[in-house]
Every structure is written in structure tokens, then in C-alpha cells.
Amino acid sequence: MIIDKIIVTLLGIMGIAFTYWFFLMKRSKEVIVKDSIDIIVDGGYSPEVISIAKGKTTKINFLRKDPTDCLEEVVLSDFKIRKHLPLNQKITIELTPQKAGEFGYACGMNMYHGKIIVK
Amino acid sequence: MDIKKTFSVKGMHCASCVTLIERSLKEVEGIKNATVNLATEKATVTYDPLKVNDSHLSSAVANAGYQAFLGDEMTHERDEQAEKKKELQALKIKVIVSLALGALILWGSFPGLMNTAPKILQNFLVQLLLATPVQFWAGWSFYRATISALKHRIANMDTLVAIGTTVAYVYSAFVTVLPHVVESIGIEAFPYFDVATIIIGLILLGRYFEAKAKAGTSEAIKKLIGLQAKTARVIRDGKEADISMSEVEIGDLIRVRPGEKIPVDGVIEEGESSIDESMVTGESIPVDKTKGDTVVGATINKTGTFTFKATKVGQETMLAQIIKLVQEAQGSKAPIQRLADLVSSYFVPAVLMLAIITFVAWYVIGPAPALTFALLNTVAVLIIACPCAMGLATPTAIMVGTGKGAEQGILIKDAESLEIAHKINTIIFDKTGTLTKGKPEVTDIIVVDDANKDEALKIAASLEKGSEHSLAESIVKDAENKNLALSKAEKFQAIPGHGVEGIIEGKRVIFGNRKLMQRENISIGSQEGNISQLETEGKTVMMLAVAGKLIALIAVADTVKESALEGVKQLQRLGIEVAMITGDNQRTANAIAQKVGITRVLAEVLPNQKEAEVKKIQAEGRIVAMVGDGINDAPALAAADVGIAMGSGTDVAIEAADITLINKDLKSVATAIILSKKTMKTIRLNLIWAFGYNVILIPVAMGLLYPFFHILLNPIFASVAMATSSVSVVSNSLLLKRKKIN
């Protein structure tokens, strides 16, 4: 019965490595937004990372397609915005950032995350 | 007068729909023009409000076979609530079905209990049949969320539940269908369908309670939105008509009858009444208002009928501003949340890794039956972990705290201000308009030699007419009351912190404080006794000199607010040092400070020096709050750790401060600080609970206590703990609502 223990241990190590790589080492592609963008809310935010211009008003339209409770709110705390996202309805948030930098946003329970880069 | 309105139309899919709706709308009598835009799904209509109302518009659109959405924020709110109710109902059914089926399976499989169960329930195939709908129908939401999250390489709560219950279900199904395979490797073919089903049932039950509780955290905003009036009785061209709020324009004359809600902000044109403003200011006593007084939308007219001119409508009204501010505060993040943020971004992947370690460890070095132990403990680890509690700990408390504040007329700009406020140990009050009513009156006029009192007042008032200082207003008012004809002042100039100067009837006149007299080398020695006496009484003494000679002393006094003494005492009881800052001289300032129980007095501070005084106290290592009117002392408010602006009814400078007190009650300052302290206490308790729960129970679920005490966590108990953890965090935040803060 030693062989099975070795196999389980090896699979376990591979599982841990895979979990680390899959969830913690992902790199999201940055989407440059000109005037407005639709962000689909379905198991996360896509696109997840957007970059917008400083001092200019950009419309971010959230469209929630996922009924998961977690996602029913989106919180852009750096911009002091907490919005309810009704299912299958476009909710527009207008941002006119005055400061450059990276600003994270998340769902109401802080489980799903996205990022707004202001340049 | 025609009005224009834009509203959403649903159900359009082609250009012919546009024509159809436009035609249907134009057929309504009173509609002058109608244009429909397919791309934006919006209709814009110009119509006579006396002939057409919202129901005409929606029925015209409905006649064409489409749906019009004319509702305001309230209607959307109601729609959302209805949708939420439906979701909750569906969730409730899932909870009942899963727990009922789970209970049957548990009865048929739990050692000690199974002997009492009918034979059919003990049959593994029957258990598989009962467990399957729970796993894939009731538990579908976990799978759905997991699949969509995995596409984004995200793991969440649902991932943990989905993996945990699937492991239990698949293993159980396997041993049920192919028992000989497991038996051949020496393991008893015993399924764990009860684990999978009960876990799903209990976690859904937890979600049900959590959703209900969470709705309570945003109640304050709903209440505020609900305060809005629905219609306004507008008088246009001599005709009165009830029109919807979106049609009210600035300058409209609006009639309000007893018992009615005042629709928008404005100024009374005719009539008088007693108005209940408690819903906006938190002050319970109705306020008497008459011509020229401002009224606030959403407050209730108690007794009289009056007409007022709308000065602010739509998003500009006081109520809309309050709603916006509370919404913003609820969307902001408290610095204390940073650690929770950091942890939650690694949490679920970390739990997945710990679950793998648990499985491997139990399988490799655990006691027999190793596979069973490994499986059950892995499931327990996956199920017990609760990242939601950490995510909810701070924001729910902030939402309840800021909402509770708004109900009492305390508006908090953001979560950060609320957090800092509990650390305040020094509060500086601006004197004029904050501790005092800000409406000074002339109390004494003392003339020098043979000068005439009225003549002195006339000269002072003529000069002060050009000044904006609050003291100037009292002098001019007093002269007007005495029907004195004022002269024209030339070359008027205000000297900040000193007084004013100008030329009246060819003579140079200066009027101001001691510093001004010193600067102009005017002797006041003969009046020193009188000046000291007046100042000791808390009066501000101004000296009038004409052509280089002192001719009169005019003393002005401001009344201390009724709530000042108690407000200061409450703060002192909280262990906070209270100081007063004023431009008055030391003696006058001391007299006022004594009346309100303040010992630290910062007197003779010029308006532009207030900021520096605040910084000086901060340099002593104190956390300073500055309380002012938010208009004249904005730099000092900004320099303080927490700037608190005290409004006087309507003219509140909301943007200027971290905390705005809409009412004039000085006791609200202590209330705001107590609210901050209680909210922070709730947040700390929530965070300790949420972190402690995971830090203690995950190792227990992994079986770390087993080698010492033979303690293991049954996955079903893990699901009970998990289901209650986020509910308890939200409920603890809701308890804040019941806490007494004043």
C-alpha cells in the first residue's frame, strides 16, 4: 500500500502547485477605454482590468448576467460608489478621476475583484 | 405651459416600433410632440401637464403594445424589492426541500438513528435518488457560480461548497453503484449522502437569513428615498395642478396645505406654518416659518397653508444631497478593512491548498480507514471556511452606522471619517454661530464726552452697511430699528481681524477693536474701565473714532445656544478636551467659555490663523476635531483630523466637512462621536469573529486536535458553523441600529 500513498502525495503536490498557479498567478489583460465600456458581470468582471483617462468622464456600464448573490452589488470604494446591479440590466457609472493610479473594485462581499487604472 | 419628459420604453426591436409608439403617443390629447429613439430605448414627449399625466403616457405606449417605464427611483426600488422577494421565495423552497430530503437520508444512515428508520430509507440506492435533486437542483447555484468564476480563474465561497459537496456525493454514488470496488480494497462501502444534502440545505438556509439581514443594512437609504414627495401642487398661470416631482421647475409657485409634505426646497412667499423637519434634521420640535423663511423638501407642513417658490429641485434639493452623501459614505472603505481585503484575496485558494494537504496527510499518515477520514476531513475544511464573513464585517457596520447617523441629522462623508472620529480627544468649537446663535445684538452704547448715542450708532451703522461681518449686521439692524437715516460711506475698507474704516460726511471714521485703535494711535485710556466691564460680561466691544478721536463704545453680545452647556458636558464626560476658538479678545472669550463650561480658550485668533491653531494642537499629539459653520472656517475644518460642520437648517455646506450636523443641536457632536465609537466596536467584534472563526475552526476541521484529543469536525457541523458565521456578522451590524447613541 506504499505506492498509493506516494501517488496521493505526488498528486497532492501537483494539486497545490496547480491551485497556486491557476488562481494566484493569473495576469489580466488591460483594456484601454476611450469613452465607455461594457463590463459583463458573470463569475467575475470582464474585462477585469480597464484603463481610463485622468480628468475625463468615462462611462462604465455594468451588466450582471450572473444571479450569484455576491455579485449583486459592485463597490468602487475609491470613488465612493456602491451600486446595486439588477440582473440583466445595464447600470452605468460615470467616473471623472482626478488622480492617476490603480483603483480596485469588488463585489459587495469582496470576493470578486476588478481594477481601474487611471492614466 | 408645456413640459418635456423622457422615459424608457421596453420591447422595441425595429424602426416600425418607433413609428407605432410615436403615433400612439401623439394621438393623446395634450401631447404636442413625441419622439422615440430605438437605440437608447427612450421616448421624449412634450405635453400640457394640465391635460396629460403619467398614466396617459403609459397607457398610450401600452396600446401600441410596448411598456413604458415612467417611474422614479421609488418605483425602481419597489421593482428591485419585488425581484428580491421572488428570489428569496425560490431560495426558501430549495432550503425546505433539501433539508427535508437531507433529514430523511440522515434518518436512514446515521449510526444509532438508522435502526428506527423504515427499511426503504436505509437503502443506499433510495438515498442516491433522494440526494440527487438536492445536489443538482438546489445546489445548482453553487455549480453555476463555480463554473463562471473558474472561467475567470477565480475561486470563491461557491467553489468551496461545490467541491466539498461534490466530493461527498460522488464518493457516495460510487460506493452505492459499485460497492465491490471499494470493498475489494478493504473499505466498507458506506455512502455519505446525508453530508452532501444537509450541507447544501444548511448553507442555503444561511444564505436565506443573510439575504434577509443584508436588506436591513441598506434600510436607511430606502427610508430616505421614501421621504420624497410624489407630487407637487403647482400654481402656473393662475391655475393649480398636481404634477409629478420630475416636472417641478425652479421658480415654480407651490401650494402646501396642512398635513402635506413639502415637495422641494424653497422660500415661503405667502402664509405661515409650523413645520416638522425631524426627518431631515433629527430635531423633534416643529419649527415655525413665515414669509421669507426657507423650507426643505420632504419635511411635513403641520398647521397652516402657504405658498412657496421652488429654489432647488431634483438632484439639488437638500434631501437629494443627503441621499447622495449617505450613498457615497456607504460606498467608501474604512482603513480598518485593509487587512480583511488582503486576506480575502488569497483566502479561497489557500483553503483549497489546505484541503489538499488535509486529504494527503490523512491518507498517508492517518489511521484506518484512511480514505474515509481523508474524505470527510477534506470536506469539512472546504465547508467550514467562510470568506464571506470577512468581506461583510466592515461594510455592513459602516452601512448601518452611516444610515443611523443620517436618521439623526448626522451626515458622515465617508467610512474613513467615521473611523477617525472615534479617536478624537480634542474638540475645538468655533464661537460665533456654533456655540452662539450667531445673531449678535447691540446691548450697550457708551458715548465719550458730549457725543450723542443715536448719532454714534448712525455713524457706525453707515460705515458697517458695506461690511459682511455678522457683528456689522447687528449694528445696522439696531440703527434701522431706531429709524436712523444712514449716510453714505466712501472709501470703505474692511481690515480683517481689526474692523472697518471709511469716510462719512468728509470725516475719516474707524470702527473696530482695540487692535485697530492701537494701530491708528487713538487713545482709549479714559474708557478702559468701561471696556473691561463689558468684556467681562462676555460682550464684544467695538470702538468708534471719528477724525482721530474716540467718540463711542458699542457693545454687542451674541446669545449662547441652549444646547451648548450640555453639549460640551457630554463631550467632557467622554473624556474629550473641549476648546473654544474666537477672534474676540481674551476677556470676552473667557466670559463666553465660562458660560458653556469650556476652560481652554483660544482668543484673538484672526480668521486666517485658525488653521494654524488647529495644527498647533495636533502637534501636541492630539487627534483634533474642529466644529464650525463650514462656510467661514473651511481651512480650519480641512486641517483638523475631523472637520465637523454645524448647519443651521438649510444652508449647510455639506461638501466642506467630514461630518455635517444638519441640526443646530450641539449635543449632536457627542452623538456623532458615540456613533463612531459604537460602529468601530461593532466592526472590531465582526473582524475578530470572522478572522477568529476561520483561524480556529479550519485547523480543527483539518484534524489538528485529533492526535491530542481525538476531536474531529463532522462536515455537517462544519456547515452549521459556516451557515451561521456570516449571518452572525450581519446580525451584529444590525444590532447597531438598536444601540443608544444619544
Side-chain angles (χ1 to χ4, degrees):
Chain A
M1 290 294 274
I2 292 294
I3 290 288
D4 64 326
K5 289 184 178 173
I6 293 171
I7 292 173
V8 165
T9 310
L10 285 176
L11 284 175
I13 293 169
M14 281 162 66
I16 290 171
F18 176 78
T19 309
Y20 188 86
W21 169 80
F22 189 77
F23 295 115
L24 299 176
M25 289 181 68
K26 66 166 180 165
R27 292 277 171 268
S28 300
K29 217 181 110 198
E30 178 186 329
V31 174
I32 297 164
V33 183
K34 277 203 161 164
D35 301 306
S36 81
I37 181 135
D38 289 352
I39 293 184
I40 308 296
V41 183
D42 189 1
Y45 302 100
S46 47
E48 201 172 274
V49 182
I50 59 168
S51 88
I52 63 176
K54 187 181 144 188
K56 195 184 146 197
T57 303
T58 307
K59 281 185 183 173
I60 303 174
N61 310 309
F62 285 96
L63 177 62
R64 176 162 79 105
K65 292 183 169 174
D66 188 335
T68 311
D69 275 0
C70 252
L71 290 162
E72 69 180 14
E73 268 184 334
V74 64
V75 185
L76 291 80
S77 54
D78 294 300
F79 301 96
K80 293 189 188 172
I81 294 170
R82 175 185 288 270
K83 275 267 178 197
H84 184 83
L85 303 177
L87 205 57
N88 297 319
Q89 255 185 61
K90 221 179 240 185
I91 297 293
T92 302
I93 290 173
E94 286 191 12
L95 292 182
T96 316
Q98 301 302 335
K99 228 170 56 183
E102 291 192 2
F103 305 97
Y105 63 91
C107 69
M109 289 186 187
N110 208 2
M111 296 295 308
Y112 297 91
H113 301 95
K115 201 192 283 173
I116 298 170
I117 301 170
V118 180
K119 288 178 183 169
Chain B
M1 194 172 62
D2 291 337
I3 60 163
K4 200 184 239 187
K5 182 170 191 156
T6 301
F7 55 88
S8 298
V9 177
K10 292 270 175 274
M12 289 189 285
H13 42 79
C14 62
S16 69
C17 308
V18 172
T19 329
L20 215 63
I21 299 167
E22 283 181 350
R23 197 186 301 148
S24 177
L25 280 168
K26 281 177 188 164
E27 277 170 9
V28 179
E29 197 199 345
I31 293 185
K32 308 280 164 63
N33 194 21
T35 49
V36 176
N37 186 324
L38 179 64
T40 58
E41 295 191 302
K42 284 204 160 55
T44 306
V45 186
T46 313
Y47 63 93
D48 180 352
L50 299 173
K51 289 182 183 160
V52 181
N53 60 30
D54 281 358
S55 62
H56 291 116
L57 297 176
S58 61
S59 59
V61 176
N63 286 342
Y66 305 88
Q67 203 184 353
F69 286 87
L70 290 141
D72 49 9
E73 209 158 348
M74 276 294 286
T75 328
H76 288 302
E77 190 67 36
R78 273 198 297 271
D79 289 347
E80 271 172 28
Q81 275 177 7
E83 189 194 328
K84 197 81 220 162
K85 214 172 158 188
K86 232 165 74 186
E87 277 173 32
L88 275 178
Q89 192 57 33
L91 187 57
K92 197 173 165 183
I93 294 169
K94 283 183 182 170
V95 170
I96 293 170
V97 173
S98 3
L99 286 181
L101 294 179
L104 290 177
I105 299 172
L106 190 71
W107 191 16
S109 60
F110 201 74
L113 203 68
M114 58 194 288
N115 302 334
T116 63
K119 274 273 170 279
I120 187 164
L121 287 180
Q122 295 179 34
N123 184 315
F124 294 163
L125 275 170
V126 172
Q127 290 182 4
L128 170 65
L129 220 62
L130 294 176
T132 304
V134 177
Q135 189 70 31
F136 299 106
W137 168 71
W140 174 241
S141 58
F142 300 117
Y143 286 113
R144 200 200 170 283
T146 302
I147 295 163
S148 14
L150 284 180
K151 284 185 201 155
H152 295 265
R153 293 173 70 171
I154 294 170
N156 58 7
M157 250 294 296
D158 299 272
T159 318
L160 299 177
V161 178
I163 297 177
T165 57
T166 307
V167 166
Y169 176 84
V170 169
Y171 173 77
S172 306
F174 187 79
V175 300
T176 303
V177 180
L178 302 166
H180 52 277
V181 177
V182 249
E183 279 160 2
S184 70
I185 53 167
I187 295 171
E188 191 193 352
F190 192 79
Y192 294 96
F193 288 118
D194 52 340
V195 171
T197 47
I198 301 261
I199 286 174
I200 289 177
L202 286 175
I203 291 178
L204 289 177
L205 180 69
R207 286 213 173 157
Y208 176 76
F209 285 131
E210 184 188 304
K212 285 199 117 178
K214 251 170 65 194
T217 60
S218 54
E219 224 168 44
I221 284 280
K222 283 180 206 143
K223 263 194 209 163
L224 284 170
I225 293 172
L227 285 177
Q228 283 168 349
K230 291 179 185 59
T231 57
R233 193 161 186 81
V234 173
I235 309 167
R236 285 180 185 165
D237 306 324
K239 286 180 202 158
E240 276 187 33
D242 283 324
I243 62 170
S244 82
M245 295 298 294
S246 57
E247 294 159 19
V248 180
E249 289 172 6
I250 292 176
D252 269 341
L253 207 56
I254 300 166
R255 188 183 305 282
V256 188
R257 290 164 294 193
E260 282 181 347
K261 211 173 250 185
I262 297 168
V264 293
D265 297 359
V267 179
I268 297 184
E269 289 271 304
E270 199 188 328
E272 54 186 28
S273 183
S274 174
I275 293 165
D276 176 5
E277 295 189 333
S278 60
M279 56 296 289
V280 176
T281 63
E283 268 178 281
S284 55
I285 303 161
V287 196
D288 291 330
K289 302 223 169 178
T290 180
K291 191 180 172 192
D293 285 339
T294 49
V295 288
V296 184
T299 57
I300 290 170
N301 175 27
K302 302 284 271 188
T303 49
T305 298
F306 62 88
T307 51
F308 75 97
K309 192 176 254 175
T311 53
K312 281 175 185 166
V313 299
Q315 291 308 306
E316 298 302 312
T317 62
M318 174 105 160
L319 181 69
Q321 296 284 318
I322 293 175
I323 292 173
K324 186 172 160 248
L325 197 79
V326 177
Q327 274 173 337
E328 282 182 357
Q330 298 194 336
S332 66
K333 191 174 277 184
I336 196 171
Q337 203 182 327
R338 278 190 208 124
L339 181 66
D341 278 1
L342 186 73
V343 173
S344 63
S345 55
Y346 295 102
F347 188 80
V348 179
V351 171
L352 285 172
M353 290 188 252
L354 286 176
I356 296 172
I357 293 171
T358 307
F359 186 89
V360 173
W362 278 94
Y363 191 84
V364 176
I365 52 170
L371 182 64
T372 313
F373 274 122
L375 268 175
L376 290 179
N377 291 332
T378 304
V379 173
V381 170
L382 291 169
I383 298 303
I384 194 102
C386 185
C388 291
M390 278 186 284
L392 291 168
T394 315
T396 50
I398 295 283
M399 285 174 82
V400 175
T402 49
K404 191 178 172 81
E407 279 170 16
Q408 314 248 350
I410 300 165
L411 302 180
I412 299 150
K413 195 177 184 182
D414 49 30
E416 195 175 347
S417 310
L418 186 66
E419 184 172 333
I420 303 172
H422 88 286
K423 295 184 202 153
I424 293 169
N425 49 25
T426 303
I427 290 192
I428 309 172
F429 280 97
D430 183 42
K431 193 207 84 178
T432 309
T434 306
L435 283 172
T436 63
K437 288 184 177 163
K439 284 181 183 151
E441 284 169 9
V442 175
T443 54
D444 306 80
I445 300 174
I446 296 170
V447 286
V448 180
D449 301 335
D450 54 351
N452 178 289
K453 274 190 185 184
D454 282 352
E455 184 60 24
L457 181 64
K458 186 187 133 180
I459 297 170
S462 304
L463 190 60
E464 288 283 32
K465 205 155 171 58
S467 170
E468 287 169 357
H469 200 279
S470 63
L471 294 179
E473 202 183 315
S474 62
I475 305 235
V476 175
K477 206 171 147 197
D478 199 45
E480 280 170 358
N481 288 346
K482 289 181 177 150
N483 291 322
L484 301 175
L486 303 187
S487 313
K488 195 166 177 275
E490 288 163 64
K491 293 189 179 164
F492 170 84
Q493 203 186 338
I495 311 149
H498 291 77
V500 288
E501 64 172 352
I503 292 174
I504 293 172
E505 291 164 5
K507 288 178 188 158
R508 184 158 183 271
V509 179
I510 59 164
F511 184 52
N513 57 17
R514 204 181 291 242
K515 277 188 211 161
L516 182 65
M517 297 300 130
Q518 277 164 3
R519 205 176 93 154
E520 298 286 328
N521 284 325
I522 291 165
S523 162
I524 51 167
S526 64
Q527 293 299 317
E528 203 55 75
N530 283 330
I531 296 172
S532 317
Q533 177 58 36
L534 290 166
E535 284 176 349
T536 318
E537 291 166 17
K539 293 168 182 168
T540 305
V541 184
M542 287 184 288
M543 295 143 221
L544 179 70
V546 178
K549 189 176 168 279
L550 181 72
I551 66 153
L553 307 176
I554 300 182
V556 169
D558 195 356
T559 333
V560 169
K561 279 186 192 166
E562 289 87 7
S563 59
L565 182 63
E566 185 52 34
V568 170
K569 264 193 196 162
Q570 279 186 359
L571 290 168
Q572 286 164 339
R573 275 200 291 267
L574 289 171
I576 295 169
E577 187 191 19
V578 185
M580 184 183 92
I581 196 164
T582 174
D584 284 348
N585 69 69
Q586 195 73 44
R587 240 189 316 238
T588 309
N590 283 345
I592 300 270
Q594 205 183 354
K595 277 186 195 167
V596 295
I598 294 177
T599 46
R600 187 167 185 175
V601 181
L602 310 164
E604 290 168 51
V605 182
L606 295 178
N608 56 4
Q609 291 170 345
K610 284 184 185 169
E611 185 186 347
E613 288 294 325
V614 169
K615 286 185 177 155
K616 241 190 249 171
I617 297 183
Q618 282 172 324
E620 293 170 17
R622 315 286 293 178
I623 310 282
V624 179
M626 167 82 200
V627 190
D629 60 12
I631 302 160
N632 301 320
D633 37 26
L637 290 188
D641 296 287
V642 178
I644 303 176
M646 290 217 71
S648 48
T650 52
D651 49 350
V652 192
I654 285 176
E655 289 298 323
D658 299 310
I659 296 176
T660 304
L661 307 172
I662 308 179
N663 55 48
K664 296 175 211 164
D665 191 346
L666 279 157
K667 295 195 285 285
S668 301
V669 178
T671 309
I673 290 170
I674 295 170
L675 176 70
S676 161
K677 283 182 191 281
K678 300 235 160 150
T679 310
M680 290 314 294
K681 203 174 154 192
T682 302
I683 292 176
R684 277 198 211 101
L685 203 66
N686 281 350
L687 286 173
I688 290 171
W689 170 256
F691 275 100
Y693 165 89
N694 284 301
V695 168
I696 295 168
L697 289 184
I698 292 178
V700 174
M702 288 175 78
L704 287 192
L705 293 182
Y706 189 80
F708 313 104
F709 310 106
H710 280 257
I711 291 175
L712 281 179
L713 195 65
N714 183 313
I716 291 181
F717 291 130
S719 70
V720 174
M722 146 76 204
T724 48
S725 74
S726 34
V727 179
S728 43
V729 164
V730 181
S731 308
N732 188 40
S733 295
L734 285 177
L735 275 183
L736 240 181
K737 274 193 196 175
R738 297 203 192 154
K739 296 224 165 106
K740 211 171 161 314
I741 56 168
N742 49 6

